[in-house]
Amino acid sequence: MGARGRRGNNVSHDGPDSSIVIAGRYRLERRLGRGGMGTVWQASDELLGRLVAVKELHVDGGTESKGALREARTVAQVRHSHVVVVHDVVEHDGRPHIVMELVEGGSLADRLAGDGPLGPVETARMGLDLLGALRAAHARGVLHRDVKPANVLLEAGTGRVVLTDFGIARLAGSTTISETGAFVGSPEYTSPERMQGAAAGPESDLWSLGVLLCTALTGKSPFHRDSLGGVLHAVVSAEIRPPAQAGPLAPVIRGLLERLPQRRMEAAEAERLLSAYLRTGAVPAAADRAPGPGAEAASATGAASGADGPDGPDAVVGYSPTEHVVQPSAPASRRTRPALRAGLIAALFAVAVAGAVALTSQFGERSADGARGAAPATASASGRASSSPAPAPASAAADAKPARTASAPVPRPAPAGYRTVSDAEGFSLAVPNGFQRSTDDQRVFYVSPDGAFRIGVKTSPAASEGPVTVMRLSHASGPTTNPGYRDGTVVPTTHNGLPAALWEFTWNGFTAAEGARHTFDVCWEENGRMYDVWVSAPVGRLPEARSHFDAALDSFVPGG
């Protein structure tokens, strides 16, 4: 809902015939800007004798138009000094038009392009203003969904910060994919959960604010890449490091850029920290909450690779990717697994290669595993070939790097149809009723009565290479350990805040009668041990396999 009135050469002077009058009182004078969601005009309110901004929304008539009008009227009820004032919502020629205050001044994007980055103090003040605006909107159940520098106006003369362009706002619970399949929002500023097709919540706007603060401090979005596919990968998977320019604001940025929405810093906490910084020049300790997935990952990967991560020396921000995302209709405790996220990443890259910005929310399915109680040890579910490097002894691993410790997992009751088992190998997890335990010399299996599903667990001393490298070595030797190995992928992720890797692949099974199978496999290090948990199932029964994989990972407790 752009409402800026730019001055001088920044103003576009192409406009409509001055005889066009909207709702009998708003005479359109000149076009101020045009975007994917609408066109903004400077107009004269002939009834009250004042200049206003009129945004014509680019929606078709009928149900879509009525829905946009209804949402715009809801946005108009948001009253806050840092939210653009909406004067009126009307319909003209079958299209909704939103009439709002005309803010004289440019956007934050204009300021960054012309004058360069802001300092921490100015960024903190702006962040406080925008947090207030978002909290006012969220209190009304309104999500902005496109918080970015172009939608932050800086009023000339007063310095007032105004959040505008609620044109794509929706009530809480909507997703990133519109009814027509178009992507809603700006990818560089869109939260990981929205990228993955989950329902948007207030946390999604707070992620966007965290990205905006980074952009204000550096002049460049931390997720800017040369292609849409690169942007999508950066948001969903790439390591995030707070920029050096963040200085004292780094704790706030870290908190807002938590990939797991449940761990993301809340608006009240961010306000507390920013206010304290502006009063004292220092940011106090954040409120006691679960550590973010980036704390350990940043020290581990950052120390090893420095600033030159996989996305190049200019890659800023980052926490390691999280394996979970809230589903639209699920309670907060219900999360999808890394397998689903990896499938979605593949789908997003396919979209990028095609050059499209319309996305689907379907997850690609791949197949999995290679773990069977009766199988020889060399054909392991985790795909470890006998030629793979042996795991380093626990003492050597301790010398190479400090032990990584997850926040203490909270034991969960087994889901309906499952039971919790305490295994003699030193762990506990939930397995479906009727599954029977078996072992070989390296692994433990829980196998369904018909032999179709296999849940496998392997524990070993922590490897000096780390879980991602270990999984990539397993992937490289997949054709020798799993007959018909194909579609193998290894994706860095986290498990309970610890660096981890997800390996997925399809293979032919150990016998022709067994048929094609798919494996989901997550590997991580914890307290000097490496844990490998996987599920193998027929390719035609992947929904059940995912449920078993969810239950196993969600309930897994070392030392149970």
Side-chain angles (χ1 to χ4, degrees):
M1 190 183 296
R4 75 198 58 146
R6 297 177 181 171
R7 293 178 171 176
N9 294 331
N10 289 331
V11 177
S12 173
H13 291 280
D14 52 339
D17 187 316
S18 60
S19 63
I20 296 179
V21 178
I22 304 299
R25 60 183 285 190
Y26 306 111
R27 187 177 299 277
L28 303 187
E29 295 180 347
R30 61 179 178 176
R31 189 173 74 180
L32 298 176
R34 179 183 176 90
M37 297 302 298
T39 301
V40 182
W41 309 93
Q42 177 179 301
S44 175
D45 182 350
E46 296 185 333
L47 178 63
L48 298 180
R50 62 182 176 182
L51 292 177
V52 295
V54 175
K55 181 163 188 176
E56 172 191 358
L57 296 183
H58 297 165
V59 297
D60 296 329
T63 302
E64 189 175 5
S65 178
K66 291 178 181 178
L69 284 170
R70 181 173 61 254
E71 291 158 0
R73 292 186 180 109
T74 301
V75 173
Q77 297 173 16
V78 179
R79 303 293 186 191
H80 193 273
S81 59
H82 296 291
V83 174
V84 69
V85 177
V86 176
H87 298 311
D88 203 354
V89 180
V90 299
E91 191 168 10
H92 179 77
D93 287 343
R95 284 191 171 184
H97 290 67
I98 303 171
V99 182
M100 68 207 97
E101 67 172 314
L102 183 69
V103 178
E104 291 290 345
S107 68
L108 175 60
D110 299 330
R111 163 73 184 274
L112 295 175
D115 300 330
L118 311 183
V121 172
E122 190 172 3
T123 299
R125 290 197 184 105
M126 181 183 63
L128 272 178
D129 294 342
L130 294 176
L131 279 167
L134 289 174
R135 293 187 74 180
H138 295 164
R140 288 280 184 177
V142 175
L143 307 176
H144 190 283
R145 302 206 305 167
D146 200 21
V147 177
K148 61 183 180 181
N151 289 336
V152 175
L153 305 183
L154 307 177
E155 189 172 51
T158 68
R160 173 180 167 231
V161 175
V162 183
L163 182 60
T164 186
D165 214 343
F166 281 82
I168 66 167
R170 293 290 185 271
L171 303 186
S174 297
T175 69
T176 301
I177 311 303
S178 72
E179 291 80 2
T180 60
F183 187 91
V184 178
S186 304
E188 289 181 28
Y189 295 87
T190 299
S191 67
E193 63 270 18
R194 286 186 55 219
M195 285 289 198
Q196 297 179 27
E203 302 86 359
S204 299
D205 282 345
L206 294 177
W207 167 279
S208 301
L209 178 61
V211 182
L212 182 143
L213 295 180
C214 286
T215 305
L217 290 162
T218 65
K220 177 181 177 182
S221 164
F223 301 112
H224 177 75
R225 300 294 187 272
D226 292 333
S227 67
L228 175 61
V231 171
L232 298 175
H233 175 266
V235 171
V236 175
S237 296
E239 181 189 355
I240 307 173
R241 304 188 198 101
Q245 296 91 326
L249 302 186
V252 178
I253 290 174
R254 288 193 189 99
L256 294 175
L257 293 183
E258 286 280 7
R259 280 194 169 100
L260 186 61
Q262 296 96 319
R263 291 187 173 186
R264 199 165 297 152
M265 183 176 286
E266 296 181 353
E269 175 71 354
E271 283 187 340
R272 182 182 77 86
L273 298 184
L274 291 178
S275 297
Y277 168 66
L278 292 175
R279 288 195 315 270
T280 67
V283 174
D288 187 20
R289 62 191 183 97
E296 296 84 357
S299 62
T301 59
S305 61
D308 295 334
D311 294 287
D314 295 328
V316 208
V317 243
Y319 280 135
S320 298
T322 178
E323 76 244 50
H324 301 136
V325 58
V326 178
Q327 291 301 301
S329 59
S333 60
R334 175 65 175 171
R335 300 167 290 178
T336 64
R337 306 310 313 177
L340 303 186
R341 186 174 64 79
L344 179 61
I345 292 173
L348 293 178
F349 274 105
V351 170
V353 171
V357 294
L359 307 177
T360 64
S361 59
Q362 289 189 335
F363 298 101
E365 290 188 348
R366 301 190 193 92
S367 33
D369 169 339
R372 171 172 174 164
T378 55
S380 72
S382 60
R384 307 283 191 270
S386 59
S387 60
S388 297
S395 59
D399 292 338
K401 56 188 174 182
R404 299 168 183 174
T405 304
S407 55
V410 179
R412 296 185 180 132
Y418 292 74
R419 73 185 192 280
T420 299
V421 297
S422 295
D423 197 276
E425 292 297 320
F427 60 84
S428 66
L429 79 167
V431 301
N433 292 333
F435 277 44
Q436 297 298 312
R437 183 182 188 272
S438 64
T439 63
D440 60 16
D441 60 343
Q442 298 181 41
R443 301 153 300 173
V444 174
F445 303 96
Y446 286 88
V447 184
S448 63
D450 62 358
F453 295 95
R454 298 192 286 270
I455 300 172
V457 179
K458 180 179 179 181
T459 66
S460 59
S464 60
E465 300 91 342
V468 174
T469 299
V470 168
M471 284 298 208
R472 285 173 177 164
L473 291 170
S474 299
H475 164 63
S477 57
T480 64
T481 58
N482 297 88
Y485 180 88
R486 58 193 179 275
D487 299 333
T489 60
V490 175
V491 179
T493 183
T494 64
H495 177 72
N496 289 336
L498 297 174
L502 165 70
W503 181 28
E504 266 193 82
F505 60 93
T506 301
W507 57 299
N508 290 343
F510 290 118
T511 66
E514 191 172 46
R517 299 180 64 81
H518 192 80
T519 296
F520 306 109
D521 187 340
V522 163
C523 176
W524 74 96
E525 292 179 3
E526 185 171 348
N527 298 328
R529 301 290 293 173
M530 178 169 282
Y531 294 92
D532 194 349
V533 177
W534 67 91
V535 170
S536 170
V539 294
R541 303 179 68 178
L542 293 187
E544 294 171 81
R546 288 193 180 102
S547 295
H548 299 336
F549 194 49
D550 282 358
L553 283 180
D554 281 341
S555 63
F556 189 90
V557 177

